[in-house]
Amino acid sequence: MQYWMRMKKTYILLLVAVVFTVSGCDFFRKIAGRPTSDVIEAKRMEMLADIQKKEIREQEIRDSIAAVQKAKQDSVETLQWLKDNGVMIIDASRFGGITADPYLDWEYATESSYRVILGSFRSRANALRLISNAEEENSAMDMALHTIDLKNGMIAVGCSPVDHIYNARLGIEEARRWGICPPGVWILKTK
């Protein structure tokens, strides 16, 4: 009798092992009302995706902070460079504002706050002569020289609009490379 009891236990254990091998843990998880391995795997993948999204967002924040710090550093260095080179930044409000500027209607005008001013004149003919002479001497130049009518009656000759003071410095350096930068160059702040 003991032999049959042992054999019965052995067959039951063997049967359980076969069922477990054939159906895996999911069979017992389903019976117990627990999530199956495919549900667990889907949840794991969802959690991994959330972690990746969080890491990407954190990297974007770090990159944004680094960009702001770089822009701040560039601005500080540029302001020092402008001071060392005797370049003034003058707000357009000092002249009563701007009445006409071809770049005010430009699609990026909301982002452009500065113009490098190569000269300002009471006579439009003198302003246009400066532009004409600069373009004749430098036919390959792509600085987009233009006139800016100020409310105080002066006509300024400026370069393409730029968005940051650092870019205005680059505009001055480019004007110097082309040989069209006068000693009295200044920057007009339009916003």
Side-chain angles (χ1 to χ4, degrees):
M1 175 93 157
Q2 253 183 347
Y3 173 76
W4 288 109
M5 287 298 275
R6 234 189 263 151
M7 287 300 285
K8 192 175 178 184
K9 284 182 184 178
T10 305
Y11 284 126
I12 290 174
L13 286 174
L14 186 61
L15 180 64
V16 168
V18 168
V19 168
F20 186 72
T21 305
V22 172
S23 64
C25 294
D26 286 342
F27 173 75
F28 294 108
R29 286 183 180 157
K30 264 187 191 174
I31 291 173
R34 309 281 304 190
T36 59
S37 59
D38 55 337
V39 172
I40 293 170
E41 181 62 19
K43 185 65 174 172
R44 186 180 77 79
M45 295 304 286
E46 183 181 318
M47 289 171 64
L48 285 174
D50 288 345
I51 290 170
Q52 288 175 338
K53 285 179 187 176
K54 182 179 178 184
E55 288 173 353
I56 289 169
R57 180 66 185 136
E58 287 173 354
Q59 184 60 46
E60 288 172 347
I61 291 170
R62 284 191 296 271
D63 292 346
S64 177
I65 290 169
V68 167
Q69 289 173 337
K70 173 137 178 43
K72 181 180 176 183
Q73 182 64 31
D74 288 346
S75 294
V76 168
E77 289 172 3
T78 298
L79 291 173
Q80 186 61 48
W81 183 90
L82 293 172
K83 180 180 176 186
D84 293 345
N85 286 275
V87 178
M88 294 188 305
I89 303 170
I90 302 174
D91 196 283
S93 64
R94 185 168 164 194
F95 305 107
I98 297 172
T99 58
D101 178 350
Y103 288 100
L104 287 179
D105 296 327
W106 187 44
E107 66 178 296
Y108 299 109
T110 57
E111 299 172 9
S112 60
S113 301
Y114 301 98
R115 310 283 194 289
V116 174
I117 304 299
L118 303 176
S120 56
F121 306 90
R122 289 243 176 248
S123 163
R124 180 169 302 283
N126 289 342
L128 294 174
R129 190 175 311 117
L130 173 64
I131 293 172
S132 177
N133 290 342
E135 289 174 346
E136 275 179 28
E137 292 176 18
N138 305 291
S139 60
M141 181 178 63
D142 61 349
M143 292 191 64
L145 300 178
H146 60 282
T147 59
I148 302 167
D149 295 347
L150 302 171
K151 285 190 177 178
N152 69 352
M154 297 295 285
I155 296 114
V157 174
C159 297
S160 303
V162 293
D163 53 351
H164 296 291
I165 194 69
Y166 176 77
N167 294 334
R169 172 189 171 177
L170 296 177
I172 292 170
E173 291 173 342
E174 185 176 356
R176 285 182 176 168
R177 277 192 300 278
W178 286 105
I180 62 168
C181 187
V185 67
W186 51 282
I187 297 173
L188 177 66
K189 185 175 188 297
T190 58
K191 297 184 185 199

